[in-house]
């Protein structure tokens, strides 16, 4: 299933807000269409946002510096967005063909996801029980995905996995997207509420946790979907390996540690009203809705990238895997 398709000069985007009930492709035209699609998560997942923004930079006419700043402001945490728009701006300044550059970013992501999936699969065994949080599959990238990549590649190679997916409050990427993707791929998947991660680990059902990443600091602290650090703490407690899978471009060497990562805050309605017939809290009740949290590097067993597998100390290993 392709979430972003560029065909005959037109960009088609699978609207992820309608999944799993409807598979509808939209065709954004204006810069506001592109901005809104990123902001309200019609396209989401760090690498997919970057690919989509690259096409926006190629297809929207006008001042590219302003366009980049406008698109980057839609979602601040995932580094892939500003990484892709910076690369497109550089290509523009060098007089390159911007459509070709965007297509190359898209194709590169497919190659990176495949490598990440291969490295990730090398750490798993047939029959493993896996826990995942949010959605780091093909919908969040181009193909295979990052966190789900080893599972999809493993399925192609005859592995059987038993996957538990957290529903991932408040936007339910695990329920709406991960279970949908894995069901379609024929992989055994069981949906749990976020607060059930502990019991499935305690019951010995989980051999590894696989998650994606939105920004990786130089010291290996990782920003990821809200709730991920809680899963990492549980994994450490129960002795379950906790793996982060992401393209190498997710490593932000300008960020020394997780404290420097800007955390996106979203609207209270996502908690109080979005999925309910009636509001689930009083109108006057305050909500705090950070969209990401930071997992401390000490909780991470390995960071699996397209360049190789990094282990602590990450300050050293994240640089070293480039030269291996
Ligand atoms: O808010 P989202 O749905 O864009 O958050 C996505 C995640 O946190 C993903 O797990 C992360 O971007 C990695 S995607 C391969």
């Amino acid at each position: 299933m392709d979430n972003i398709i560029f065909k005959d000069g037109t960009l088609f985007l699978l609207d992820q807000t309608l999944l799993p009930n409807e598979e509808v492709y939209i065709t954004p035209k204006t810069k506001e269409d592109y901005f809104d699609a990123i902001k309200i998560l019609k396209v989401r997942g760090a690498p997919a946002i970057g690919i989509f923004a690259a096409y926006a930079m190629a297809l929207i006419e006008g001042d590219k510096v302003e366009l980049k700043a406008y698109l980057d402001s839609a979602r601040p945490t995932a580094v892939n967005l500003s990484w892709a728009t910076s690369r497109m701006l550089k290509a523009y300044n060098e007089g390159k063909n911007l459509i070709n550059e965007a297509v190359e970013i898209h194709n590169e992501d497919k190659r990176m996801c495949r490598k990440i999936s291969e490295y990730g699969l090398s750490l798993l065994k047939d029959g493993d029980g896996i826990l995942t949080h949010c959605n780091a599959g093909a919908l969040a990238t181009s193909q295979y995905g990052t966190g789900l990549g080893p599972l999809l590649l493993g399925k192609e190679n005859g592995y059987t996995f038993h996957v538990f997916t957290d529903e991932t409050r408040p936007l339910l990427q695990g329920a709406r997207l991960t279970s949908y993707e894995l069901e379609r791929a024929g992989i055994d998947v069981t949906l749990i509420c976020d607060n059930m991660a502990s019991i499935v680990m305690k019951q010995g059902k989980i051999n590894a946790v696989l998650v994606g990443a939105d920004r990786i600091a130089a010291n290996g602290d990782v920003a990821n979907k809200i709730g991920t650090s809680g899963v990492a703490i549980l994994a450490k407690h129960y002795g379950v390996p906790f793996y982060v899978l992401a393209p190498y471009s997710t490593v932000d060497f300008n960020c020394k540690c997780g404290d420097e990562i800007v955390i996106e805050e979203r609207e209270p309605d996502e908690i109080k009203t979005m999925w309910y017939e009636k509001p689930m809290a009083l109108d006057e009740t305050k909500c705090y809705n950070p969209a990401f949290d930071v997992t401390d590097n000490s909780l991470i067993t390995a960071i699996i990238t397209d360049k190789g597998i990094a282990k602590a100390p990450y300050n050293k290993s994240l640089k070293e895997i480039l030269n291996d």
Side-chain angles (χ1 to χ4, degrees):
M1 168 190 27
D2 289 319
N3 54 351
I4 298 170
I5 301 169
F6 182 65
K7 195 163 173 261
D8 301 331
T10 304
L11 190 76
F12 297 88
L13 175 72
L14 180 63
D15 182 345
Q16 295 192 39
T17 60
L18 302 178
L19 293 173
N21 300 310
E22 290 173 74
E23 289 181 13
V24 175
Y25 283 86
I26 57 168
T27 52
K29 299 272 183 308
T30 64
K31 67 176 196 272
E32 290 80 12
D33 292 344
Y34 280 92
F35 179 92
D36 290 344
I38 297 171
K39 184 83 189 167
I40 67 170
L41 276 57
K42 289 182 181 190
V43 58
R44 35 74 42 214
I49 296 170
I51 295 164
F52 182 73
Y55 282 113
M57 290 289 288
L59 294 168
I60 300 287
E61 301 290 340
D63 185 324
K64 300 288 181 186
V65 175
E66 270 177 26
L67 179 61
K68 173 188 165 27
Y70 178 60
L71 294 169
D72 287 356
S73 69
R75 297 199 72 191
T77 303
V79 71
N80 314 61
L81 174 57
S82 56
W83 172 85
T85 54
S86 299
R87 180 161 152 186
M88 292 300 290
L89 192 59
K90 182 163 178 283
Y92 173 75
N93 290 333
E94 288 168 359
K96 286 189 180 161
N97 179 309
L98 292 188
I99 297 285
N100 289 351
E101 190 72 6
V103 171
E104 182 50 24
I105 287 177
H106 198 168
N107 288 336
E108 266 176 28
D109 191 74
K110 292 179 186 170
R111 294 194 290 272
M112 290 189 296
C113 285
R114 173 76 197 201
K115 287 301 288 180
I116 293 165
S117 306
E118 287 168 7
Y119 282 123
L121 187 58
S122 73
L123 300 173
L124 303 179
K125 292 187 312 303
D126 187 26
D128 271 352
I130 304 293
L131 178 68
T132 188
H133 189 76
C134 195
N135 172 266
L139 286 168
T141 60
S142 52
Q143 255 175 15
Y144 288 104
T146 52
L148 299 187
L151 308 177
L152 295 163
L153 185 64
K155 168 76 184 171
E156 283 175 19
N157 287 281
Y159 287 61
T160 300
F161 295 113
H162 304 285
V163 184
F164 287 82
T165 178
D166 287 344
E167 62 177 352
T168 317
R169 288 277 296 152
L171 291 178
L172 306 181
Q173 290 92 334
R176 295 187 303 107
L177 308 174
T178 298
S179 61
Y180 162 85
E181 263 192 270
L182 295 180
E183 293 284 5
R184 280 183 54 132
I187 296 173
D188 177 53
V189 58
T190 304
L191 177 62
I192 57 173
C193 300
D194 297 342
N195 52 6
M196 298 169 190
S198 178
I199 193 158
V200 291
M201 287 193 210
K202 191 177 172 68
Q203 290 171 341
K205 294 185 162 93
I206 306 299
N207 302 97
V209 177
L210 304 182
V211 295
D214 290 87
R215 195 179 291 252
I216 301 172
N219 72 342
D221 289 347
V222 174
N224 205 321
K225 182 48 48 189
I226 192 72
T228 307
S229 68
V231 176
I233 291 166
L234 292 171
K236 179 109 176 174
H237 179 75
Y238 291 114
V240 173
F242 181 92
Y243 297 124
V244 171
L245 301 95
Y248 195 76
S249 51
T250 308
V251 184
D252 180 359
F253 286 105
N254 293 321
C255 233
K256 285 196 238 15
C257 68
D259 291 347
E260 295 180 12
I261 299 175
V262 177
I263 300 293
E264 173 186 353
E265 274 187 46
R266 298 184 62 89
E267 295 301 317
D269 287 352
E270 291 179 353
I271 299 178
K272 286 202 279 193
T273 60
M274 196 156 175
W275 308 107
Y276 304 109
E277 280 182 15
K278 293 181 182 166
M280 283 297 126
L282 295 175
D283 204 31
E284 61 268 34
T285 299
K286 292 196 290 289
C287 281
Y288 176 47
N289 187 13
F292 297 92
D293 63 12
V294 177
T295 300
D296 196 272
N297 60 33
S298 64
L299 302 169
I300 298 170
T301 310
I303 298 177
I304 301 164
T305 77
D306 50 301
K307 305 291 181 200
I309 301 175
K311 293 196 172 170
Y314 293 103
N315 264 323
K316 202 156 156 264
S317 63
L318 284 170
K319 291 206 169 115
E320 277 173 359
I321 53 174
L322 253 198
N323 308 317
D324 286 349

